[in-house]
Each structure stands twice: as structure tokens, then as C-alpha cells.
Amino acid sequence: MSGQRTDPALPRARGELSAGVTGYLRGDGSLPDPGAPRTAEPYGDDLQLALYVCYELHYRGFAGVRPELEWDPPLLAVRAALEDRFLGALRHDTPVAPGLDEILDGLLVEPVHGSGVSWFLQDQGELHHLRDYAMQRSLYHLKEADPHAWVLPRLSGRAKAGMAAIEYDEFGAGRADRVHARLFAGLMTDLGLDNAYGGYLDEGRAPMLALVNLMSMFGLHRRLRGALVGHFAAVEITSSPASRRLARAMKRTGAGPAAEFFYTEHVEADAVHEQVVRRDVIGGLLDDEPALAADIAFGIGATSYLEDRLGDRLLADWRS
């Protein structure tokens, strides 16, 4: 994360959809038919990787890929078909939720003895588990605040001010060395990992790709601004207690000071952010657009659903 910038390489394909997209970007292949995603596994490796690659053109892009392909009409048609399949599955599979206030209150409830990934890492995790976890989460944390910034032009008043205040913290409050993506790069260095942006895309499991794709999809579409705020709320409200457990895991295993600091920083910062998100970002948005309450609830529910899928996959892999 320091020195001269290098863009990531295109990943290895995982099926016909991702092979078509990556081949097209390299200039030596044809795009898949826009109808092909309709029968693809919506949470599978092939569709999620193809969609991730399409979205990455709006972030850093890939080495050797022409920048103008970001807005290439045939590629956008394929991306839209991938999105439709993914979003349709999420709307079908995300549990029907109670009222928004009840959902937000539920995010604050912490079990005395939990069973998720952060609990496992706190109590039993070894360094190889922490390295695997960091490799997966690097696809998220090395671009952590970027997709959330896309919602700023779609908000106004109190919601925009609250969102901008939190984003300012995420981007280091004016200090390059405190940008949260850079802090995560320090964590990766402590764990003996390559901290290059996109360096572990080939190792990314499908549920992790789906989580990153979720925030990219919500951020890129103005019609999904409520869902993006819901996703953001789910992340910020649940982050502080999980970060406390992960900080304990880093300390117990001797992962290193930067690894521990990344999570202790989030314990403090996200405890404050949780209040701002609920009072100003969500409260302000609903004051302006009360009809978006259902979209906010969907964003929270979809985030929780995909986080559970990722947690189940990681725990199953580690325990096997």
C-alpha cells in the first residue's frame, strides 16, 4: 500500500461467465451471452467472480485493461444480467424482516456465548486461521470506504453530513497513515501476507466475493441508495464488538502490533459511528424519504445473510 501504485492482475477464470468477461477484457475472447446468467448459480464462484471483475473497473481496474472499457456498452449489458441474477436471489432469500426499528435494535444484541467467526478466532484461532481470514477480508478492507462514498451525492442534509463525517474517519481524518485501508495493509504485513491491492483475488471464496459485490452494486445504483445505507448501518453497528474479539485474537496469537491496532481502532471508532449512523444517516434519510425504510431493511438483511454464508463457509473449511 506504499510506493508506486500497481494495478492488480486479472484473476483466473472459474467458469464460462468469468472466462468470457476476463477474455474480453484481455482482448482475446468474447463476452458471454447476456442471457447466460439467468441459469447460473447466483452465489457461485463463476457468477460472483465475473461480477467482481466488472465492478473492479470502477475502482482501480486491472493491469493491461483499457480504461475506456469501464463504460463499454456490451460489457455493461452482461454486468446488468449478472446483477439481475444476484439481486433477484437476494430479494428471494433475505428473510422477511420486522419493522426497521426492531431490526436496528436487534443488531445491538450480543450473545453471551457466540458461535461465529470472530468468536472462533478469539477463542481457538491460530495464526493460519487469522492469515486466511485476512486474505479473504482484504478484498473488502483494502477498498473499505470507497463504495460507501458513492452514496454521498444521492443524500442531502443530515444524512449526507452524517455519512460524510463517518467517511472522513474511514479515510484517516486527513492523515494518510490513518486511512483504514492502509491500517489493514499493516495488519497484513504483520501476518506475513502480501498487502497489494487485489493480491488475493484468486484466493477469494465465493461468499467473500458476494459481500464485496453487494456493496459495489448498492453503491453504484442510485435506486439502491436505501439498501446501501442499510448495508452501511449493518457494518458499523456490528463492527465494534466483533473488532474487540478480533483484537483479542491478534493479541493472543502474537500476530503483531499493527494487526492488533487495526481492530482496537475499530472498537473505538465504530462505537461512535453506530450512533451517527442511526441518528443522522438513517434518521435524516427517512426524514427526507420515508418510503426508503423497506430498502434500508433489505440492505441490512442482505448483508447479514451474506455474512452468515461467509462465516459458515470459513468455519466449515477451518474445522475440516
Side-chain angles (χ1 to χ4, degrees), residues 38-88:
R38 286 199 288 265
T39 57
E41 166 52 47
Y43 309 115
D45 281 284
D46 190 27
L47 185 143
Q48 290 300 326
L49 181 61
L51 187 54
Y52 188 104
V53 169
C54 289
Y55 285 147
E56 188 57 39
L57 300 180
H58 300 292
Y59 293 102
R60 293 272 292 269
F62 295 99
V65 173
R66 293 181 293 115
E68 55 267 31
L69 287 173
E70 178 183 3
W71 299 109
D72 180 73
L75 182 62
L76 290 176
V78 171
R79 193 192 87 182
L82 297 167
E83 288 176 329
D84 286 347
R85 178 64 171 149
F86 182 37
L87 184 59

Side-chain angles (χ1 to χ4, degrees), residues 4-315:
Q4 187 174 2
R5 166 175 160 162
T6 57
D7 294 329
L10 280 167
R12 295 188 296 269
R14 304 185 192 181
E16 292 183 1
L17 295 172
S18 53
V21 169
T22 54
Y24 185 75
L25 294 179
R26 283 194 308 269
D28 59 11
S30 300
L31 284 170
D33 187 280
R38 286 199 288 265
T39 57
E41 166 52 47
Y43 309 115
D45 281 284
D46 190 27
L47 185 143
Q48 290 300 326
L49 181 61
L51 187 54
Y52 188 104
V53 169
C54 289
Y55 285 147
E56 188 57 39
L57 300 180
H58 300 292
Y59 293 102
R60 293 272 292 269
F62 295 99
V65 173
R66 293 181 293 115
E68 55 267 31
L69 287 173
E70 178 183 3
W71 299 109
D72 180 73
L75 182 62
L76 290 176
V78 171
R79 193 192 87 182
L82 297 167
E83 288 176 329
D84 286 347
R85 178 64 171 149
F86 182 37
L87 184 59
L90 284 172
R91 292 199 182 279
H92 178 270
D93 296 334
T94 298
V96 177
L100 183 56
D101 285 338
E102 291 90 340
I103 296 171
L104 292 168
D105 289 341
L107 292 177
L108 294 170
V109 176
E110 274 284 300
V112 176
H113 301 290
S115 57
V117 166
S118 65
W119 293 90
F120 175 90
L121 292 174
Q122 172 188 256
D123 299 333
Q124 307 173 50
E126 300 177 11
L127 276 174
H128 69 90
H129 296 124
L130 295 174
R131 290 189 181 103
D132 186 32
Y133 182 72
M135 288 165 59
Q136 298 301 310
R137 298 299 297 195
S138 69
L139 301 179
Y140 175 96
H141 282 304
L142 293 182
K143 60 161 59 85
E144 181 174 2
D146 296 345
H148 302 142
W150 282 326
V151 82
L152 286 169
R154 287 106 187 238
L155 303 177
S156 61
R158 195 152 52 96
K160 175 176 281 191
M163 192 78 184
I166 298 172
E167 287 285 271
Y168 181 66
D169 285 349
E170 298 287 344
F171 289 124
R175 291 179 54 184
D177 62 317
R178 296 299 293 265
V179 173
H180 284 193
R182 181 166 290 188
L183 296 181
F184 193 81
L187 172 149
M188 298 181 75
T189 298
D190 268 4
L191 290 172
L193 300 173
D194 179 4
N195 66 18
Y197 178 93
Y200 289 105
L201 180 52
D202 278 326
E203 287 74 24
R205 295 170 175 81
M208 188 69 243
L209 299 179
L211 263 173
V212 181
N213 286 339
L214 180 81
M215 65 180 188
S216 298
M217 177 172 64
F218 288 170
L220 282 166
H221 291 277
R222 184 171 58 84
R223 65 187 172 92
L224 297 174
R225 62 194 179 279
L228 189 281
V229 167
H231 162 76
F232 187 69
V235 170
E236 294 296 328
I237 292 173
T238 61
S239 172
S240 187
S243 293
R244 185 176 292 108
R245 289 188 287 273
L246 291 166
R248 290 170 183 156
M250 296 296 174
K251 183 179 182 70
R252 180 178 57 78
T253 57
E260 187 176 347
F261 179 74
F262 176 81
Y263 288 110
T264 57
E265 166 73 6
H266 279 71
V267 171
E268 298 177 9
D270 291 343
V272 176
H273 293 172
E274 178 265 317
Q275 299 295 324
V276 178
V277 168
R278 185 158 186 178
R279 181 185 66 246
D280 294 327
V281 181
I282 292 179
L285 181 59
L286 291 179
D287 284 347
D288 293 339
E289 300 183 86
L292 291 182
D295 286 349
I296 296 171
F298 169 65
I300 294 171
T303 302
S304 298
Y305 176 71
L306 292 180
E307 285 283 6
D308 287 346
R309 288 180 63 92
L310 175 63
D312 291 345
R313 171 68 183 276
L314 290 175
L315 290 174

